[in-house]
Amino acid sequence: MYTGLNTPEDYLRVVINHKWMILLAIIVSLGLAWGVYEWLPKSYRSSVLLQFEEQKVKYVQGVEDSGGDKPEFIIANRISAMSEVLYKQEFLTKVAQEFHLYGYDKDNATSTLDNSVASRLRGLVLIEPQVGGLLKVSFADAEPTIAKAVTARLADLFVQENTKSRSAIAESSTEFL
């Protein structure tokens, strides 16, 4: 009657008797894993968290408040406002020119090339709401350093544009007062 494997010596005897089958399975598995690693495209995603605060003083002529103070509405407004700023064609082409993305060169640029580069970048830049009023902006690229640098530049451009628009609102409010 067969009682199975009861002692460590039984397990050792099984390993010794089937060593070639075990080694072959390990070698084939490692070879397949390496092949899949080499075959799949590499993609690195870099992210930055931005806090977007609403204006304390709103200066908009002829526009009524249509949403209320619901948190979902505020977050949707933040996302649309940030998307509007970050997806501007001039920003995206400026980033593409700085980092030489997709072979973009401002000297040889045409309006169709500007549009195609901007639309390609729009597809790679993601904006996602996070807990606590933060928004996550991320960019994916095959090179990790490019992904990091583009994400940092987009955040920097957003901060510059936000500062510029806030100062314009402050000036117009000062003139009004």
Side-chain angles (χ1 to χ4, degrees):
M1 170 155 91
Y2 178 70
T3 60
L5 302 173
N6 295 327
T7 64
E9 289 83 18
D10 293 337
Y11 288 104
L12 184 62
R13 193 173 27 255
V14 168
V15 169
I16 291 173
N17 288 340
H18 297 95
K19 65 183 168 202
W20 294 113
M21 190 182 312
I22 294 169
L23 265 162
L24 182 66
I26 290 172
I27 290 171
V28 167
S29 298
L30 287 175
L32 285 174
W34 181 259
V36 168
Y37 167 76
E38 287 295 323
W39 177 68
L40 287 176
K42 312 300 182 269
S43 180
Y44 300 93
R45 182 166 292 281
S46 177
S47 303
V48 65
L49 287 175
L50 297 174
Q51 183 176 10
F52 186 73
E53 295 179 0
E54 291 293 321
Q55 300 283 347
K56 301 295 185 223
V57 177
K58 294 182 182 177
Y59 179 74
V60 180
Q61 290 180 327
V63 176
E64 297 178 19
D65 186 20
S66 59
D69 295 330
K70 296 181 182 176
E72 324 65 65
F73 182 76
I74 293 171
I75 290 173
N77 278 344
R78 286 181 182 178
I79 291 173
S80 68
M82 283 191 70
S83 298
E84 200 174 292
V85 171
L86 289 172
Y87 289 156
K88 281 184 178 178
Q89 183 171 338
E90 72 179 77
F91 283 171
L92 295 176
T93 55
K94 182 187 282 189
V95 168
Q97 178 186 2
E98 287 178 21
F99 298 105
H100 306 292
L101 298 174
Y102 317 119
Y104 183 80
D105 186 17
K106 192 66 173 174
D107 298 333
N108 303 330
T110 62
S111 63
T112 56
L113 181 61
D114 287 352
N115 289 337
S116 68
V117 166
S119 65
R120 196 167 177 188
L121 282 173
R122 280 185 197 105
L124 296 174
V125 175
L126 296 178
I127 300 173
E128 302 166 341
Q130 301 292 308
V131 178
L134 299 173
L135 293 171
K136 179 175 150 185
V137 177
S138 61
F139 177 74
D141 194 69
E143 285 291 320
T145 55
I146 296 287
K148 179 185 137 207
V150 168
T151 305
R153 184 65 177 139
L154 285 172
D156 185 43
L157 286 172
F158 174 76
V159 168
Q160 287 176 3
E161 180 69 18
N162 196 24
T163 303
K164 195 184 312 179
S165 68
R166 284 181 183 241
S167 66
I169 289 173
E171 286 177 17
S172 64
S173 297
T174 303
E175 286 177 14
F176 175 74
L177 292 175

